[in-house]
Amino acid sequence: SLASTAITCFTRGLDLRKGTEDVLCPANCPLWQFYVFGDGVYASLSSVCGAAIHSGVITNTGGAVRVQTLPGQDNYPAVNANGIQSQVLSRWASSFSVTAGAKNTALEAVGRSVSTARPSTGKRPKKTVDKKAGNKDCKADIAFLIDGSYNIGQRRFNLQKNFVGKVAVMLGIGTEGPHVGVVQASEHPKIEFYLKNFTAAKEVLFAIKELGFRGGNSNTGKALKYTAQKFFSLENGARKGIPKIIVVFLDGWPSDDLEEAGIVAREFGVNVFIVSVAKPTTEELGMVQDIGFVDKAVCRNNGFFSYQMPTWFGTTKYVKPLVQKLCSHEQMLCSKTCYNSVNIGFLIDGSSSVGESNFRLVLEFVSNVAKAFEISDIGSKVAAVQFTYDQRTEFSFTDHITKDKVLSAIRNIRYMSGGTATGDAISFTTRNVFGPVKDGPNKNFLVVLTDGQSYDDVRGPAAAAQKAGITVFSVGVAWAPLDDLKDMASEPRESHTFFTREFTGLEQMVPDIIRGICRDFLDSKQ
């Protein structure tokens, strides 16, 4: 069979290059985030894994799927199946269908590079893994935070180094694969080497062997905080859009507090794993500041991010399961992605030319864009303002912190009817809605929806919004003049300006707006 390509929850048909392609879908994709258009034959805008679950080829545990490219068509229907509501699309240029793929297990996708770790005996055909590129299916920038305290001692320190070396080899380090660095925790943390220093497993192994034992207290909290803040800068080799991971090795217990360090790591978008070896003895427990230290430091207290080994001896069998965890980037819930790190404000035209039934279509468009994001108190936020000559904040970024509440608030917006003063409305939104969140961690976006000529100047207010760090998308319908739309939109204007003759055309723009927000998020400094 063809080798399967591991894809993500969000890979769409149009992202695949071949006419027939075997792909591997990951497990546990968030069903509500899938964009699927059609039934049986899917518009190529659709998520491949979403379509595969929708059509019953796989379940949410993932698996192998064969994707066949088909010509475009008219009228893709909306059908609810297997927990996914597909959507209507009136026309798209290409389609695809999905069938069950070659039966290779999901583990092969993760363990793809394992063959490079063992010398080939010549008995089996060598898998073609581009050694320099490494395991492309494992996207991760990893800091191993090793324990260099008196707790562990020189002998166990060497066993720890052996284990870290084995993990590094099995990960399949390479230019396009995972990158790793090492920080040693002792009295004061020391970055031993950075992500950018080595891109081959051999070099990393050598660097790990050379590490000297430092000794001192195990100030793991201090080291974790330091690593989260300093290690993952772009100049030190961190890559945009790749999950940042710290694997903390702890022999016994930490001599300082981990809770604050865990909070800092989450704020910096870093996924913290804790590998604890040799639990503290009963006498030692009396010295531990906080018995629940693991739960407070890990990315999420869901069992996935903590890992236990009874001793440093015979650890080989623990290597592969740890590598599989580090490579399942869909599970890296603390990564900053466009889905969980944006504020999106919608500025909605309520003027009398829109009319009640078209106003409903506008709200549907707003809902469909909002639906794609992970809205929570620590995630993305949504706000809405309606305007005529006047402005009304329907809800602010802090009013609703769950997706259900946001969607129901959008449904409950009442149509105002009146004139059109878009410039004033942009100034109002910049000041009152974005003002309170301008120093927050999320990137700010404003989507302006209008169906006509504004009575006032839009250029000045839009420039001021952009200067305040807000990326503006303009969406025009019917009589909205293209000049106004371009004047409001952020650069490059072509990709931030949208227009449709009819209100029914809004629906097809939803994926483009979501993609635009994600593209801008990645282009901005992370």
Side-chain angles (χ1 to χ4, degrees), residues 340-391:
N340 66 15
S341 305
V342 295
N343 296 324
I344 307 171
F346 292 95
L347 184 51
I348 303 166
D349 187 339
S351 61
S352 31
S353 51
V354 175
E356 185 72 56
S357 63
N358 285 334
F359 189 71
R360 292 288 127 210
L361 291 173
V362 171
L363 295 184
E364 212 165 285
F365 166 84
V366 171
S367 284
N368 284 335
V369 173
K371 221 183 263 173
F373 293 88
E374 293 163 34
I375 300 165
S376 75
D377 54 343
I378 57 166
S380 290
K381 313 256 191 298
V382 172
V385 173
Q386 186 179 173
F387 71 98
T388 53
Y389 280 141
D390 229 352
Q391 306 86 30

Side-chain angles (χ1 to χ4, degrees), residues 8 34 40 58 75 98 160 165 169 174 198 211 228 230 298 303 313 331 343-344 349 383 415 421 458 460 512:
T8 76
F34 280 132
I58 56 170
N75 306 324
V98 282
Q160 173 182 230
V169 169
F198 311 110
L211 293 176
K230 301 272 186 280
V298 288
F313 296 96
Q331 304 273 1
N343 296 324
I344 307 171
D349 187 339
Y415 173 47
V458 293
D512 296 325

Side-chain angles (χ1 to χ4, degrees), residues 375-521:
I375 300 165
S376 75
D377 54 343
I378 57 166
S380 290
K381 313 256 191 298
V382 172
V385 173
Q386 186 179 173
F387 71 98
T388 53
Y389 280 141
D390 229 352
Q391 306 86 30
R392 181 168 81 200
T393 301
E394 301 291 353
F395 54 92
S396 75
F397 288 124
T398 48
D399 286 344
H400 303 299
I401 51 174
T402 66
K403 182 175 303 195
D404 288 343
K405 293 230 168 85
V406 164
L407 295 177
S408 102
I410 294 168
R411 276 196 301 275
N412 292 329
I413 293 176
R414 290 191 321 286
Y415 173 47
M416 282 164 77
S417 188
T420 314
T422 316
D424 262 357
I426 293 173
S427 303
F428 171 89
T429 308
T430 303
R431 189 173 57 249
N432 298 318
V433 176
F434 286 98
V437 296
K438 72 167 185 294
D439 298 324
N442 288 359
K443 183 155 172 49
N444 292 316
F445 292 89
L446 174 62
V447 180
V448 182
L449 289 130
T450 179
D451 83 324
Q453 174 93 47
S454 176
Y455 295 125
D456 60 1
D457 166 59
V458 293
R459 192 176 290 175
Q466 290 167 32
K467 206 167 164 186
I470 302 165
T471 301
V472 182
F473 285 88
S474 60
V475 178
V477 189
W479 304 107
L482 207 54
D483 289 349
D484 272 11
L485 297 174
K486 284 217 167 101
D487 283 345
M488 291 188 280
S490 286
E491 299 282 354
R493 299 206 159 149
E494 286 57 53
S495 57
H496 292 84
T497 308
F498 293 87
F499 177 78
T500 171
R501 258 288 147 247
E502 307 288 337
F503 281 89
T504 47
L506 284 171
E507 187 169 27
Q508 289 174 43
M509 295 180 182
V510 170
D512 296 325
I513 300 278
I514 295 163
R515 240 196 336 267
I517 289 172
C518 285
R519 177 198 57 221
D520 290 349
F521 174 82

